[in-house]
């Protein structure tokens, strides 16, 4: 959420910064701006709205210069206006700052600065940083930034330029991701690899407390006491093609259609059919350690929390270890029971979600072993967890998570297989699971081949104002996920419930205007789900059923049916997710919604 990109080198910075911002637009898109050193001073351009608004301004009124910083905003403090857009400058316009994160003591600092003669123009917390750096400046920008940062509490990823020390960009990180990109006599700073992958794949991931100084000749990393730090250079293993739409109208659709490959990538090289188990070398846990856990806590947010619920079901069934699933935002503020014999599984596509990261740190502090199921390589959760399973789903740009969800469920199945085989799962059962996993990519493709039919269905339901999603067992979380997908991109109110729970309240909502999506594959709870379908039908509800074979019991009860292939119970949510994603996608598009940039949302929630 919010994106930063900065450039120093010999090329004209403006177009590079705009390009970088466009690649970051999925992280925040309510206003944007740039600050470029024009040879005399700092020149800024800002605009409310999408990056295209800023681009129009910059085309009409370009800024020359080979050093600059830029920002795309997701508003926290202050409305998304041009004045509140970053960069923010000091009183004299000599220092410009872009910032991701929240300065928690900004009100007190603002009063103090105002009492000392500083004048503020915006409502943002970020502007405080520009004035603090101004107050601390004594000829050297990094020294002033260090002094200012010692006064702030909160989270930040910042980039700063100044006409008083004009050859450099100073960047710093505390709780908000930041990387340095290394080119040939040119250097970048960015909140996210996608902003710069077109230009370089060599990056340095900054740690909390790091401050980087970049100029045309190189970069150095120091800490907040100005001590030199050594940081390794990493190679980004994906390329530009993966962050482009590749002929699809939206990233979300592209990512839905990538799932046969992404599901396969999550499994690649990890299945050991000869031993009916899985190999997860990144876990950093020996068999003895895997056998030693008394309890498991899985923590996550949003869609990742839904996959956590599926993981709970799998792990309890096959390891017989008690599992608890916790919203990361709740876990971090209560007093959870965690011991050194607790395994804490942390699930996050981005690896940067603030609540999930904080929950993981809390679990670690209390002695748990932490394992991250993360998609973004080099992200904070991936680096700070004791071990992990990368999803290998490739960059997910669509704000609504799709391919990461199916890969998370597959990764949880691999972990379950690995742990289960050490405990309660026989070789025969393990072999069945492997066979079912290997069949998934082709099965996902079978569902994608029905996209046209699902689009047709969307046409019939696009004007409804409410939806109910119901499922049981492994597919209760799938129902939650289906409802979340629909509401976040189409703005239709949708609720997910365990199917039988419906009669304890939500049944009151059912009438002919209420479509009810049942996730009803032929699994161990199918018969129970049929009874729930009957209850809905008896009250005039219109049922859309996701089924896996001809079911005479559903004849006459169901208005529409979407068929998914048959798999083992624990993997049904992977297959059920695909038509649910497509249904949400097509409904949203038909309602004229911007599915890749839904209102009020942004990818990677790096604030509390
Ligand atoms: C929904 C969605 C969000 C994320 C949530 C956690 O489509 O994308 O609910 O799942 O913000 O994000 P990660 O997985 O990056 O921690």
């Amino acid at each position: 959420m919010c994106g930063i990109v900065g450039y120093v080198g010999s090329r004209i910075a403006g177009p590079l910064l705009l390009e970088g911002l466009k690649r970051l637009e999925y992280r925040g898109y309510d206003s944007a701006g740039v600050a470029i050193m024009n040879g005399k001073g700092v020149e800024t351009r800002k605009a409310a709205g999408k990056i295209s608004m800023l681009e129009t301004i910059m085309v009409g009124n370009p800024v020359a210069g080979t050093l600059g910083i830029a920002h795309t905003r997701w508003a926290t403090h202050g409305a998304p206006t041009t004045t509140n857009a970053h960069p923010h400058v000091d009183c004299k316009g000599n220092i410009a700052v872009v910032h991701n994160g929240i300065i928690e003591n900004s009100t007190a600092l603002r009063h103090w600065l105002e009492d000392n003669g500083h004048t503020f123009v915006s409502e943002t917390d970020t502007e405080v940083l520009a004035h603090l750096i101004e107050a601390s400046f004594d000829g050297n920008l990094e020294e002033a930034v260090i002094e200012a940062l010692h006064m702030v509490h909160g989270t930040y990823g910042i980039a700063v330029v100044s006409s008083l020390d004009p050859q450099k960009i100073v960047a710093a990180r505390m709780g908000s991701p930041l990387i340095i990109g290394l080119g040939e006599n040119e250097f970048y700073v960015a909140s996210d690899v996608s902003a710069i992958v077109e230009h370089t794949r060599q990056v340095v991931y900054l740690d909390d407390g790091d401050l980087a100084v970049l100029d045309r000749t190189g970069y150095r990393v120091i800490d907040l006491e100005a001590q030199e730090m050594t940081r390794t250079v990493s190679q980004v293993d994906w390329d530009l093609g993966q962050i482009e739409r590749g002929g699809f109208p939206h990233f979300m659709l592209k990512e839905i259609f990538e799932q046969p490959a992404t599901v396969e990538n999550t499994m690649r090289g990890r299945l050991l059919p000869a031993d009916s188990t899985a190999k997860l070398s990144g876990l950093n846990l020996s068999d003895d350690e895997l056998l030693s856990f008394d309890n498991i806590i899985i923590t996550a947010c949003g869609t990742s929390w839904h996959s956590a619920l599926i993981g709970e079901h799998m792990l309890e069934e096959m390891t017989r270890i008690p599992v608890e699933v916790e919203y990361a935002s709740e876990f971090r503020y209560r007093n959870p029971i965690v011991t050194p014999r607790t395994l804490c599984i942390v699930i996050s596509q981005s690896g940067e979600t603030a609540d999930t990261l904080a929950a993981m740190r809390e679990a670690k502090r209390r002695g748990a072993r932490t394992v991250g199921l993360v998609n973004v390589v080099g992200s904070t959760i991936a680096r700070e967890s004791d071990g992990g399973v990368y999803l290998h789903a490739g960059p997910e740009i669509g704000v609504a998570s799709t391919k990461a969800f199916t890969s998370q469920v597959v990764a949880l199945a691999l972990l379950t297989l690995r742990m289960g085989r050490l405990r309660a799962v026989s070789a025969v059962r393990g072999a069945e699971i492997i066979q079912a996993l290997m069949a998934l990519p082709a099965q996902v493709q079978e569902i994608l081949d029905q996209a046209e039919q699902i689009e047709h269905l969307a046409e019939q339901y696009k004007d409804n104002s409410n939806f109910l999603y119901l499922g049981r067992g492994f597919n209760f979380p799938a129902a939650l996920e289906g409802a979340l997908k629909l509401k976040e991109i189409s703005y239709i109110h949708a609720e997910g419930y365990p199917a039988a729970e419906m009669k304890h309240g939500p049944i009151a909502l059912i009438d002919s205007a209420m479509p009810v999506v049942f996730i009803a594959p032929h699994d161990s709870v199918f018969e129970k789900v049929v009874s729930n379908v009957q209850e809905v039908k008896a009250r005039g509800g219109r049922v859309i059923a996701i089924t896996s074979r001809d079911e005479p019991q559903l004849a006459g009860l169901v208005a529409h049916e979407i068929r998914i292939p048959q798999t083992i119970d624990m993997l049904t949510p992977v297959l059920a997710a695909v038509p649910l994603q497509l249904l949400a996608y097509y409904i949203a598009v038909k309602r004229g919604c911007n599915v890749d940039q839904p209102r009020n949302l942004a990818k990677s929630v790096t604030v509390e």
Side-chain angles (χ1 to χ4, degrees):
M1 102 189 321
C2 299
I4 288 176
V5 59
Y7 171 79
V8 52
S10 54
R11 293 192 274 167
I12 298 295
L16 289 173
L17 295 175
L18 269 178
E19 234 172 64
L21 286 183
K22 284 187 200 155
R23 304 235 180 257
L24 291 176
E25 198 163 19
Y26 72 107
R27 296 185 69 104
Y29 32 81
D30 57 38
S31 55
V34 300
I36 294 176
M37 305 300 302
N38 67 7
K40 294 191 206 108
V42 181
E43 208 170 332
T44 58
R45 301 278 184 273
K46 301 200 221 181
K50 306 254 181 221
I51 311 287
S52 55
M53 306 298 285
L54 176 67
E55 187 171 28
T56 308
I57 289 172
M58 288 183 69
V59 167
N61 191 6
V63 194
T66 57
L67 184 157
I69 53 176
H71 189 263
T72 175
R73 180 165 185 249
W74 185 87
T76 54
H77 288 57
T81 59
T82 304
T83 310
N84 287 335
H86 301 210
H88 289 287
V89 297
D90 65 324
C91 296
K92 300 199 186 79
N94 290 327
I95 295 164
V97 181
V98 292
H99 166 225
N100 290 352
I102 294 180
I103 305 301
E104 286 163 10
N105 57 342
S106 65
T107 309
L109 288 170
R110 190 177 180 120
H111 289 147
W112 177 74
L113 285 158
E114 281 171 344
D115 289 347
N116 283 282
H118 291 261
T119 308
F120 283 76
V121 296
S122 78
E123 304 160 274
T124 66
D125 54 337
T126 303
E127 195 180 348
V128 159
L129 287 170
H131 292 279
L132 280 179
I133 297 167
E134 177 183 27
S136 310
F137 192 83
D138 192 17
N140 177 291
L141 186 58
E142 59 269 33
E143 283 171 12
V145 171
I146 288 177
E147 205 173 314
L149 292 180
H150 278 295
M151 288 186 260
V152 306
H153 304 303
T155 54
Y156 52 80
I158 57 168
V160 188
V161 293
S162 170
S163 55
L164 306 172
D165 194 358
Q167 310 295 340
K168 58 178 76 149
I169 299 175
V170 174
R173 166 189 170 142
M174 186 66 76
S176 229
L178 219 50
I179 53 162
I180 307 297
L182 319 184
E184 290 264 321
N185 298 319
E186 56 181 19
F187 294 87
Y188 300 83
V189 58
S191 51
D192 178 331
V193 172
S194 51
I196 59 171
V197 73
E198 187 169 0
H199 307 291
T200 180
R201 297 225 221 142
Q202 286 205 301
V203 298
V204 172
Y205 294 99
L206 294 183
D207 286 339
D208 280 353
D210 282 354
L211 184 140
V213 185
L214 295 68
D215 62 26
R216 277 169 81 150
T217 60
Y219 73 96
R220 60 195 182 94
V221 180
I222 54 180
D223 66 10
L224 292 178
E225 307 306 324
Q227 298 300 311
E228 297 289 329
M229 308 297 290
T230 309
R231 295 280 172 260
T232 48
V233 176
S234 308
Q235 187 76 20
V236 176
D237 66 356
W238 46 269
D239 58 33
L240 195 60
Q242 285 173 275
I243 55 165
E244 295 198 319
R245 287 207 303 269
F248 284 90
H250 297 101
F251 281 109
M252 183 177 174
L253 192 63
K254 176 186 178 223
E255 287 158 8
I256 291 172
F257 272 81
E258 278 172 357
Q259 290 176 107
T262 51
V263 156
E264 178 132 41
N265 287 344
T266 307
M267 293 185 264
R268 192 181 306 283
R270 288 171 165 168
L271 293 176
L272 296 180
D275 298 322
S276 301
T277 188
K279 178 179 77 175
L280 297 165
S281 14
L283 275 186
N284 293 333
L285 288 167
S286 66
D287 286 357
D288 283 346
E289 285 170 320
L290 282 172
L291 280 164
S292 72
F293 295 115
D294 288 339
N295 69 319
I296 299 175
I297 292 172
I298 316 183
T299 188
C301 303
T303 286
S304 299
W305 184 79
H306 297 156
S307 65
L309 292 174
I310 297 165
E312 172 185 29
H313 204 132
M314 288 181 190
L315 282 159
E316 278 199 341
E317 190 171 309
M318 287 186 224
T319 67
R320 313 307 298 152
I321 304 173
V323 182
E324 254 180 286
V325 174
E326 295 263 11
Y327 280 117
S329 53
E330 293 295 317
F331 178 82
R332 61 184 292 197
Y333 287 118
R334 54 183 205 87
N335 194 3
I337 298 170
V338 176
T339 75
R341 290 164 77 95
T342 300
L343 174 65
C344 178
I345 302 172
V346 182
I347 308 181
S348 175
Q349 186 287 128
S350 61
E352 300 292 353
T353 301
D355 285 322
T356 312
L357 177 60
M360 183 182 82
R361 287 178 177 160
E362 183 59 23
K364 261 186 130 169
R365 208 171 290 127
R366 289 167 182 254
R369 285 294 288 264
T370 54
V371 163
L373 264 59
V374 170
N375 193 33
V376 177
V377 175
S379 56
T380 311
I381 291 174
R383 286 186 295 141
E384 288 192 17
S385 51
D386 298 315
V389 182
Y390 273 127
L391 304 180
H392 296 309
E396 192 179 68
I397 308 288
V399 165
S401 193
T402 52
K403 61 178 181 173
F405 174 76
T406 44
S407 283
Q408 285 165 352
V409 179
V410 168
L412 284 161
L414 296 174
L415 183 60
T416 301
L417 182 60
R418 175 94 185 84
M419 293 184 74
R421 283 287 289 129
L422 296 173
R423 290 176 176 250
V425 174
S426 69
V428 173
R429 179 81 183 117
E432 272 168 25
I433 295 170
I434 290 186
Q435 215 177 6
L437 280 165
M438 288 189 334
L440 279 180
Q443 292 181 321
V444 171
Q445 187 57 54
E446 251 182 75
I447 302 165
L448 293 172
D449 293 342
Q450 302 172 54
E452 219 174 293
Q453 181 197 328
I454 297 170
E455 183 174 5
H456 186 65
L457 193 62
E459 183 63 39
Q460 298 175 54
Y461 286 92
K462 68 177 193 317
D463 297 321
N464 282 83
S465 321
N466 295 288
F467 271 73
L468 208 51
Y469 286 72
L470 302 176
R472 298 183 78 139
F474 284 107
N475 287 304
F476 157 52
L480 293 177
E481 178 57 9
L484 177 62
K485 283 295 86 89
L486 184 70
K487 75 182 113 183
E488 68 181 332
I489 59 169
S490 72
Y491 320 138
I492 293 175
H493 171 245
E495 303 239 25
Y497 265 94
E501 190 62 21
M502 173 196 58
K503 53 187 170 297
H504 300 285
I507 200 163
L509 297 170
I510 290 171
D511 61 17
S512 59
M514 173 69 101
V516 184
V517 180
F518 270 95
I519 297 124
H522 199 89
D523 60 7
S524 56
V525 287
F526 175 74
E527 307 290 336
K528 304 282 169 202
V529 175
V530 173
S531 320
N532 305 134
V533 174
Q534 272 158 344
E535 288 156 9
V536 169
K537 181 71 183 164
R539 283 152 188 90
R542 290 181 78 193
V543 173
I544 301 169
I546 296 179
T547 58
S548 58
R549 63 179 206 190
D550 275 334
E551 299 289 1
Q553 296 177 68
L554 289 176
L557 297 178
V558 170
H560 302 279
E561 201 178 325
I562 303 173
R563 194 60 70 83
I564 61 172
Q566 189 68 35
T567 183
I568 56 173
D569 287 14
M570 69 189 245
L571 296 179
T572 48
V574 174
L575 299 181
V578 180
L580 296 174
Q581 295 163 352
L582 285 169
L583 185 64
Y585 170 81
Y586 286 121
I587 288 179
V589 169
K590 286 174 191 302
R591 288 168 71 94
C593 301
N594 182 346
V595 294
D596 279 343
Q597 293 172 352
R599 72 181 177 210
N600 305 338
L601 292 176
K603 195 87 176 159
S604 190
V605 184
T606 52
V607 292
E608 259 194 67

